[in-house]
Amino acid sequence: MRSAHTVEQVRAAEAALMAKLPEGALMQRAATGLAVAISNFLGSVYGARVVLLIGSGDNGGDALYAGARLARRAAKVTAVLLSDKVHAGGLAAFKAAGGQVGSADDVRTADVVVDGIVGIGGRPGLRPDALAVVRLAEEYGVPVVAVDTPSGVDVDTGETPEPHVNAALTVTFGTHKICHFVDPAATACGPVHLVDIGLDLPPAEVQALQAADVKALYPVPHGESDKYSRGVLGLMVGSTQYPGAAVIATAGALAGPVGMVRYVGPDAVAHAVREAHPEVVGDGRVQAWTIGSGLGDELDIPRIRDLLDAEEPVVLDADGLKALDDSGDHVEVLITPHAGELSRLLGVDRATVEAERLKYARLAAETFDVTVLLKGATTVIASPNGEVRVNTNATPWLATAGAGDVLAGLCGALLAGGLTPLDAAAVGAYLHAAAANLASKGAPITATTVAHSLPEATRRLLS
């Protein structure tokens, strides 16, 4: 499990550790890890042209001490001082190692720029002098390695309301921060390298499952299992208007852990589903429902609301979201909107949701008493009790018609298999992305190929 902590949590843990260590020892740990990461990024340090952008915070000190280490390995390291209050000890060590204080013009010929402008305590945005040098690096195509977080992003929300650094690599210390997981800031971070500096941290507000976590949660049948005990999922999806949604959602469900799938819908659509998936049976008792994908004009809001008030957990997707209201107890409901659908539920514009994904996923979870899986490049999953999980392993090729139907079917199967809405959403999002990566290999994919790749992705996970 990867964990992302708040600035307040990190600051408290750092203070507790610094009280036990010699003065400056924690910064030296961070600087050593940063120097190694920059070396690996460059490939060869000897003669490399490194420009440090140094602000007044401790991450400027981290960058200066790291720059000193690189200079001692024969890199040509220049520091651009963007404050008259830079870390004194770091600057002295940097100069003693042969580092030079330069100007913004040095960025033009750099092999890498190190962003030590502001740390995790900084506000969104950059001052004009800092922004000018960052823009210069962008103009000349110089990659940026960010220290802890890209300067200018909102660390605790993942928002980017102001100009900010776009990093080719972010090197962070002690733990991930929320901006490393949540878009749009996560995209600005690039790949994130975590350096362990020995922090003792409390439980995190935001987490991301890894393969071992997904494997531990996945409902694997045992010797006494039968098709009913493995779970029975009901599908109320598709319509004569959108019959393909039913076929695709069924494919996603059958690729999950359930022993049986029941389809409830128009006869013509049921025929199409059974032609593609002869294992599917008709109406009857179920352990969970997936409702909404492609219902179109055949949306039956009263019937859906009856099912939301029943005891079986429900995945509510696409058109089915129109049946959701803020009355009643919906804690066993998982909704799977994209930003546009969530914006309609909450009465805000889509651009606002996309800019503040964590905020609005949490707001919807609280407002409707549901677990929210907000689809996107990084999937944000928020539960009514405040827990948040983020999935970050998706390929951009997954943004294709019908992919959400596959996900809804798979999450329903995981619910029917006994997982909570939060776990079903997190496991489903992870496997959905893993299947897409397996199917794509860097090339276009369809929702059908994603569904067909799910069993192999699951097999690889469980083996």
Side-chain angles (χ1 to χ4, degrees):
M1 186 90 71
R2 292 190 301 159
S3 297
H5 290 81
T6 64
V7 172
E8 182 180 4
Q9 289 174 317
V10 172
R11 290 293 193 220
E14 288 176 339
L17 182 56
M18 284 190 289
K20 302 175 185 178
L21 296 174
E23 185 177 354
L26 192 61
M27 183 171 285
Q28 294 299 332
R29 290 182 184 180
T32 299
L34 176 60
V36 170
I38 295 170
S39 299
N40 292 337
F41 181 83
L42 287 167
S44 176
V45 175
Y46 184 86
R49 295 161 297 183
V50 180
V51 174
L52 315 176
L53 307 183
I54 305 300
S56 60
D58 283 347
N59 76 328
D62 296 334
L64 286 166
Y65 280 117
R69 285 166 168 76
L70 295 171
R72 287 196 292 269
R73 294 180 57 189
K76 298 176 181 178
V77 190
T78 303
V80 179
L81 306 184
L82 297 170
S83 170
D84 57 3
K85 297 180 181 179
V86 301
H87 193 280
L91 183 59
F94 174 72
K95 290 180 176 179
Q100 302 292 314
V101 174
S103 70
D105 284 341
D106 293 307
V107 167
R108 301 171 190 265
T109 57
D111 295 310
V112 68
V113 166
V114 178
D115 165 26
I117 303 171
V118 295
I120 60 174
R123 296 178 180 177
L126 296 168
R127 294 187 321 188
D129 57 341
L131 180 58
V133 72
V134 168
R135 291 286 186 256
L136 193 61
E138 292 176 351
E139 180 184 348
Y140 282 85
V142 183
V144 177
V145 174
V147 181
D148 223 358
T149 63
S151 294
V153 306
D154 192 312
V155 178
D156 275 349
T157 68
E159 298 166 17
T160 57
E162 301 290 342
H164 55 84
V165 169
N166 288 292
L169 171 70
T170 295
V171 183
T172 196
F173 312 113
T175 182
H176 290 91
K177 285 70 182 180
I178 292 170
C179 65
H180 298 147
F181 287 0
V182 178
D183 268 328
T187 297
C189 293
V192 179
H193 175 71
L194 176 62
V195 176
D196 183 5
I197 56 173
L199 298 184
D200 183 13
L201 290 153
E205 289 197 5
V206 177
Q207 296 180 316
L209 297 188
Q210 300 300 284
D213 308 305
V214 177
K215 181 177 180 179
L217 287 169
Y218 195 87
V220 177
H222 52 77
E224 299 301 316
S225 297
D226 60 34
K227 62 187 176 184
Y228 300 106
S229 64
R230 286 182 58 193
V232 180
L233 175 66
L235 290 174
M236 188 183 295
V237 293
S239 59
T240 52
Q241 187 180 7
Y242 302 113
V247 175
I248 294 169
T250 303
L254 289 169
V258 289
M260 182 183 294
V261 172
R262 297 184 181 276
Y263 179 75
V264 178
D267 288 344
V269 181
H271 177 72
V273 167
R274 292 190 184 101
E275 271 203 331
H277 309 291
E279 306 90 343
V280 175
V281 298
D283 201 357
R285 294 190 63 181
V286 300
Q287 276 79 55
W289 286 95
T290 288
I291 300 172
S293 309
L295 285 180
D297 295 338
E298 293 167 22
L299 174 69
D300 186 341
I301 288 179
R303 186 178 184 189
I304 294 173
R305 286 181 173 167
D306 285 343
L307 291 173
L308 291 176
D309 291 334
E311 61 183 25
E312 293 84 14
V314 175
V315 175
L316 203 58
D317 181 49
D319 294 320
L321 294 167
K322 297 172 185 176
L324 188 65
D325 60 31
D326 58 4
S327 64
D329 178 3
H330 296 144
V331 291
E332 290 299 305
V333 174
L334 166 63
I335 66 172
T336 56
H338 55 58
E341 291 163 340
L342 193 64
S343 73
R344 289 190 288 274
L345 278 173
L346 294 173
V348 297
D349 63 74
R350 178 174 186 149
T352 300
V353 172
E354 289 180 334
E356 303 173 57
R357 294 173 56 79
L358 180 60
K359 172 183 175 179
Y360 285 104
R362 281 174 158 163
L363 177 61
E366 179 182 353
T367 300
F368 298 105
D369 199 25
V370 297
T371 297
V372 178
L373 187 159
L374 176 56
K375 293 178 282 197
T378 55
T379 299
V380 177
I381 302 160
S383 70
N385 67 6
E387 289 184 79
V388 174
R389 292 185 183 160
V390 180
N391 191 69
T392 61
N393 69 325
T395 168
W397 292 115
L398 191 50
T400 186
D405 303 339
V406 175
L407 178 63
L410 175 61
C411 288
L414 291 160
L415 273 185
L419 296 190
T420 66
L422 180 65
D423 287 340
V427 171
Y430 183 97
L431 286 172
H432 188 239
N437 283 309
L438 186 62
S440 170
K441 298 179 181 177
I445 51 176
T446 66
T448 299
T449 59
V450 173
H452 290 168
S453 296
L454 273 168
E456 177 60 16
T458 304
R459 185 195 67 77
R460 294 187 182 194
L461 175 84
L462 298 178
S463 62

